[in-house]
Amino acid sequence: MRLNLPMLFAAITLFFIEVIIATKLNDYTFIRAYFGDFLVVILVYCAVKAFWDVEPKRLAIGVFAFSLAVELAQLFRVADVLQLTGWARVVVGTSFSFHDVLMYAAGCIAVWWVDARLNARNLGSV
């Protein structure tokens, strides 16, 4: 385990952006409805990369699988079944959307592509 400060900074920044999206954009805008889902997988990716050196493709697939599991939990109303409240209910979510899955996939592909390019560039300069 090693600390990757740029990834940690990115994760913290994305977290604050996600909080602003969740708390300040109350109307049904593109940003709240779709872009937040795109960013949240990038947030998770960066948070993992901040502490562990994981190969980009493997991490992107893992983050997508995790996000898909959360979305499926929404389909089966796990938040209701477990009687979750507050932030736990917000994190798990309450409504399934195939559009969310598409945004998770797009976010994972984007962050994988950028990270893989950065890794290739850094390896080439060593």
Side-chain angles (χ1 to χ4, degrees):
M1 186 166 102
R2 56 133 183 84
L3 185 60
N4 182 328
L5 287 177
M7 284 293 186
L8 181 61
F9 178 73
I12 291 169
T13 301
L14 287 166
F15 175 77
F16 284 115
I17 291 169
E18 287 286 347
V19 169
I20 291 167
I21 289 171
T23 60
K24 303 297 182 194
L25 300 178
N26 295 326
D27 58 339
Y28 194 77
T29 65
F30 173 82
I31 293 173
R32 180 156 171 91
Y34 301 105
F35 195 62
D37 295 325
F38 178 85
L39 290 180
V40 77
V41 292
I42 298 173
L43 162 65
V44 172
Y45 185 100
C46 290
V48 172
K49 277 291 252 202
F51 298 100
W52 294 281
D53 187 23
V54 182
E55 190 267 325
K57 183 177 175 183
R58 181 173 293 206
L59 181 55
I61 291 169
V63 169
F64 180 71
F66 173 76
S67 64
L68 189 57
V70 170
E71 200 65 25
L72 288 173
Q74 294 172 6
L75 178 64
F76 294 108
R77 305 217 173 267
V78 169
D80 293 334
V81 171
L82 298 177
Q83 299 178 347
L84 298 178
T85 59
W87 281 103
R89 188 172 185 82
V90 171
V91 169
V92 172
T94 57
S95 62
F96 174 84
S97 169
F98 186 70
H99 292 109
D100 291 352
V101 175
L102 293 176
M103 290 295 99
Y104 298 148
C108 286
I109 290 168
V111 74
W112 160 76
W113 186 83
V114 169
D115 194 24
R117 297 305 166 269
L118 290 174
N119 279 344
R121 188 177 67 183
N122 289 340
L123 290 175
S125 65
V126 174

